[in-house]
Amino acid sequence: QGASNSMGESELGQHVDRLIAKQIVAIAQSYQAGSIAVPNLKNIRTLLNAEIQARAEQKCPGSIETQKRYMKQYRTSIHRWSYSRLIEATRTKASKLNIALEIGKQPIQGSEQEKAVAVAIAAYHSRE
């Protein structure tokens, strides 16, 4: 706290992504995994917008202006980062150890564990 940060926001984000990628690859290596499966978040913005709108309608029924304010506030409260930058950092670190990075479709419904299993299965089936 209170320490100055010589990195810009973008550089800090890259640094954090590299640290996360390093840990992801280390975990994969510790399990002797041949690949890392990650979710395809291509349509995540559409899904998030639909979810935010549904929440706004539920929280503020009947008031379009209040719903719009809620949606704007909710969007700004969600932490955003560059998923593609994290995936690229993971791909770079994994390739150095001959670990493949595979992308699988993630379902909307289910627990986090069920979603992770579905991503892994989808990535496996995309090999065929």
Side-chain angles (χ1 to χ4, degrees), residues 1 4 28 53 69-70 83 86 98-99 109:
Q1 278 184 332
S4 65
Q53 186 167 357
R69 281 196 305 273
Y70 176 84
Y83 182 71
L86 173 62
N98 293 321
I99 299 173
Q109 302 292 329

Side-chain angles (χ1 to χ4, degrees), residues 20-91:
I20 294 169
K22 182 178 179 181
Q23 289 303 308
I24 291 169
V25 172
I27 291 168
Q29 189 178 24
S30 73
Y31 284 96
Q32 299 175 345
S35 66
I36 299 169
V38 296
N40 179 357
L41 298 182
K42 191 173 187 175
N43 297 323
I44 191 69
R45 289 183 187 184
T46 305
L47 294 172
L48 275 176
N49 280 334
E51 184 177 328
I52 292 168
Q53 186 167 357
R55 284 181 186 215
E57 289 171 359
Q58 190 176 41
K59 295 261 184 194
C60 316
S63 175
I64 302 295
E65 284 303 312
T66 308
Q67 289 176 13
K68 285 181 181 179
R69 281 196 305 273
Y70 176 84
M71 289 169 55
K72 183 177 180 179
Q73 180 184 10
Y74 192 84
R75 278 190 203 101
T76 58
S77 71
I78 295 175
H79 177 71
R80 295 182 186 189
W81 89 103
S82 175
Y83 182 71
S84 59
R85 189 176 63 200
L86 173 62
I87 295 307
E88 194 52 43
T90 306
R91 185 185 316 274

